[in-house]
Amino acid sequence: MIEAFVSQIRTIWRILLHSFTKAETVQYPEQKPYLAPRYRGRIVLTRDPDGDERCVACNLCAVACPPDCIALQQGTREDGRWYPEFFRINFSRCIMCGMCEEACPTNAIQLTPDFEMCEYDRQNMVYEKEHLLINGTGKYHDYNFYRVSGLKIDGKDKGEAQNEAEPIDVKSLLP
Amino acid sequence: MSEANLPFIGAILLTVVGGAAVLTWFERRLLGIWQDRYGPNRLGPFGILQVAADMLKLLTKHDWIPPFADRFVFVIAPTAIVISMLMAFAVVPFGPDHYLIDMNVGLLFFLAMSSLAVYSVMLGGLASNNKYALLGGLRAAAQMVSYEVFMGLSLMGVVMLSGSFSLVDIVEAQQDGWYFIPQFLGLYVFIIAGIAESHRLPFDLPEAEHELTAGFHTEYGGMKFTMFMLGEYCGLILLSCMITTLFFGGWLGPFFPPLVWFALKTFGFVCFFILLRAAIPRPRYDQLMALGWTVMLPITLINLVATGAIALWMNQA
Ligand code: SF4
Ligand code: SF4
């Protein structure tokens, strides 16, 4: 009983001491919080070092996305490269989990340290490809999927990618 | 009541109601400071215009009466608490000449008025016809009735020492020593009973938003809700005024004019009650009742008997 009373008094005293501690609040619109470079905010689609869009429309991000907010349509260009005909992220559903970034084999989809995406109209939260695509490489500067993959496209035959051996003709028995 | 007192009545009403309104903002700021944040600081200097914004919001709210409620009682209930709390201010002596009436039973009048406030809460809970509201009302009734007992008893020590029920006489009797030293047990019990009586945190069991949504005022909104809140804040100011009057020498004090001393002391206690709110968690309901009957009542009785014995002994010597 006495113990409880003393503990209450001690609580009151400890709280009173908080009059002299600084507030933790970040006064947001005037004072911006620090956002680490890998903060997971608004999503962008990046380009490879040659300026071509990186996304190969593999749909892996759409599969990985927990709330299913990515929609895209695959298309093929004349040079054999795949690209998304449309790429749509519904940011009113996105939970900024970063799963899409982890799933992406081409480093195309990346999250950026920007969270200020308020809109008065919910429809405006749906970002199309022209809103998502940026003119840069994002966090990975040298990576170009078509340069390292074995896929054949115009101007790059089988075996011509980085670190790739000449293809072996498996149908011939000759050494 | 003489005609000349009318401006004074107006001044008291204005101060108390205005004070209660500002207190809503002040409390949030203080709680903020003690919880390492700012509280409402945007609107106007230090955010004080928040009061006006809140008023505007509450005044323009849809004044809804639930179709299942008992209309008449539902509307009447919130006014009771405000009226009874404001009535009690009639006997508070703010200064040697600044009081409305010096009743020879002023203390009892205060106790009676603060007990009447329970009707507001109880009827509000009952008339809402909602199970949470009813539970809140029940809790309020049980809590206030039981704490009423030793709230009154805890003050009898003061009455014995001063030999009067009149609040002005009680203050005058504290010329050579404020009562919080000989009556520290009484003060302790009175503070706790007072908080329970005005059902503020940590004893806001009738509201207990975690268990009862909002308790007795679940169904209330707009102006009627404001009335409940106004009553609660008036109760807080009243309680601080009474502690100042009964235990801390009322207007007495060196250098400053009496009114300033009274205001300063009252303000200090208001801050103290907000500190209690910031620091102490809400007890369980049965703990609250057990604390009342098994700890507070014995303490009060011991205090009463001891004070009586000492007063008797002093008179003989
Ligand atoms: S961050 Fe998460 S929720 Fe948002 S698009 Fe990527 S996978 Fe979906
Ligand atoms: S963003 Fe990446 S994972 Fe998603 S479709 Fe394009 S390449 Fe595949």
Side-chain angles (χ1 to χ4, degrees):
Chain A
M1 189 63 224
I2 299 290
E3 204 179 312
F5 181 71
V6 170
S7 125
Q8 305 272 295
I9 297 291
R10 189 162 160 269
T11 315
I12 295 175
W13 175 246
R14 294 278 301 264
I15 297 292
L16 190 60
L17 286 186
H18 274 264
S19 320
F20 307 107
T21 51
K22 225 176 136 303
E24 296 286 343
T25 316
V26 177
Q27 303 257 32
Y28 164 59
E30 296 93 44
Q31 194 186 341
K32 304 279 187 203
Y34 168 72
L35 298 179
R38 278 168 189 268
Y39 184 90
R40 299 198 305 263
R42 180 171 54 85
I43 295 171
V44 294
L45 287 176
T46 58
R47 292 173 186 275
D48 62 26
D50 305 332
D52 261 331
E53 58 184 285
R54 265 178 176 154
C55 176
V56 294
C58 66
N59 260 314
L60 284 179
C61 52
V63 171
C65 179
D68 246 354
C69 64
I70 303 180
L72 63 128
Q73 172 65 54
Q74 181 266 335
T76 314
R77 288 208 308 236
E78 295 93 69
D79 61 359
R81 295 174 66 136
W82 281 21
Y83 75 104
E85 274 174 9
F86 69 80
F87 198 107
R88 187 175 297 144
I89 299 183
N90 182 352
F91 276 112
S92 63
R93 306 213 61 189
C94 175
I95 54 174
M96 308 294 174
C97 62
M99 294 290 186
C100 46
E101 182 171 357
E102 294 200 22
C104 183
T106 65
N107 289 338
I109 193 165
Q110 294 180 10
L111 279 76
T112 58
D114 171 27
F115 56 89
E116 292 167 319
M117 303 194 292
C118 301
E119 296 286 353
Y120 284 105
D121 186 358
R122 181 165 284 209
Q123 205 53 41
N124 294 340
M125 293 294 280
V126 178
Y127 280 44
E128 295 292 340
K129 191 163 98 176
E130 67 253 37
H131 310 125
L132 294 166
L133 203 59
I134 60 165
N135 274 330
T137 55
K139 293 175 222 174
Y140 310 96
H141 300 300
D142 312 318
Y143 186 78
N144 184 334
F145 173 73
Y146 281 105
R147 265 192 237 150
V148 295
S149 79
L151 198 72
K152 172 171 173 294
I153 54 167
D154 279 3
K156 190 195 86 166
D157 212 345
K158 285 270 185 203
E160 287 178 4
Q162 281 170 22
N163 300 326
E164 194 189 11
E166 281 292 316
I168 298 167
D169 185 1
V170 289
K171 293 184 180 145
S172 154
L173 287 173
L174 292 177
Chain B
M1 185 184 70
S2 65
E3 286 293 316
N5 270 340
L6 275 179
F8 186 55
I9 295 175
I12 292 181
L13 284 183
L14 214 65
T15 320
V16 173
V17 175
V22 173
L23 206 54
T24 58
W25 162 80
F26 183 71
E27 175 168 36
R28 279 181 283 170
R29 282 310 303 258
L30 266 191
L31 284 178
I33 287 174
W34 285 323
Q35 294 168 351
D36 284 356
R37 54 190 178 83
Y38 289 105
N41 63 347
R42 293 280 152 157
L43 217 55
F46 301 107
I48 187 141
L49 288 182
Q50 186 70 39
V51 178
D54 287 349
M55 288 275 188
L56 220 62
K57 185 188 122 186
L58 285 168
L59 283 172
T60 51
K61 275 259 164 112
H62 182 189
D63 194 24
W64 188 68
I65 299 173
F68 44 80
D70 182 344
R71 280 186 76 91
F72 179 69
V73 184
F74 188 82
V75 174
I76 286 294
T79 51
I81 187 167
V82 180
I83 292 176
S84 61
M85 285 299 170
L86 289 179
M87 286 279 275
F89 276 97
V91 292
V92 176
F94 300 97
D97 319 304
H98 297 88
Y99 49 83
L100 220 48
I101 8 172
D102 177 20
M103 261 193 248
N104 55 2
V105 289
L107 192 58
L108 295 184
F109 182 78
F110 154 72
L111 287 174
M113 280 302 144
S114 67
S115 331
L116 276 184
V118 73
Y119 278 106
S120 173
V121 176
M122 209 172 65
L123 292 179
L126 202 61
S128 296
N129 207 355
N130 164 318
K131 53 179 176 272
Y132 293 120
L134 181 63
L135 280 174
L138 281 178
R139 281 182 176 192
Q143 168 179 334
M144 289 168 101
V145 165
S146 46
Y147 274 76
E148 192 70 26
V149 173
F150 33 91
M151 181 166 180
L153 281 180
S154 69
L155 296 182
M156 289 311 123
V158 171
V159 174
M160 275 185 219
L161 288 182
S162 64
S164 168
F165 274 105
S166 147
L167 292 174
V168 179
D169 290 351
I170 290 177
V171 176
E172 299 281 5
Q174 297 181 56
Q175 292 282 12
D176 34 67
W178 298 350
Y179 283 159
F180 74 98
I181 301 168
Q183 284 296 315
F184 60 96
L185 280 179
L187 174 65
Y188 173 65
V189 174
F190 182 70
I191 286 180
I192 291 187
I195 302 170
E197 184 77 10
S198 60
H199 51 85
R200 275 186 54 79
L201 272 118
F203 291 152
D204 67 336
L205 274 296
E207 289 177 47
E209 66 270 24
H210 305 118
E211 313 147 33
L212 298 182
T213 54
F216 64 90
H217 57 57
T218 307
E219 298 291 350
Y220 282 89
M223 265 328 274
K224 293 202 274 305
F225 170 77
T226 319
M227 288 292 224
F228 273 126
M229 282 294 122
L230 183 65
E232 190 180 322
Y233 281 100
C234 286
L236 178 65
I237 299 178
L238 178 66
L239 191 60
S240 307
C241 286
M242 287 318 279
I243 293 179
T244 308
T245 310
L246 296 169
F247 294 98
F248 286 85
W251 67 77
L252 300 174
F255 312 127
F256 298 126
L259 272 182
V260 175
W261 266 114
F262 191 87
L264 268 182
K265 290 175 189 172
T266 306
F267 178 74
F269 285 109
V270 169
C271 293
F272 175 69
F273 284 119
I274 297 176
L275 176 64
L276 280 187
R277 174 178 183 166
I280 309 230
R282 177 191 302 132
R284 222 168 51 215
Y285 189 64
D286 59 315
Q287 289 171 335
L288 178 79
M289 289 315 236
L291 177 80
W293 291 108
T294 60
V295 181
M296 291 293 144
L297 190 61
I299 289 184
T300 324
L301 291 179
I302 290 171
N303 180 44
L304 200 64
V305 172
T307 313
I310 291 173
L312 216 65
W313 179 69
M314 297 269 270
N315 276 359
Q316 268 173 359

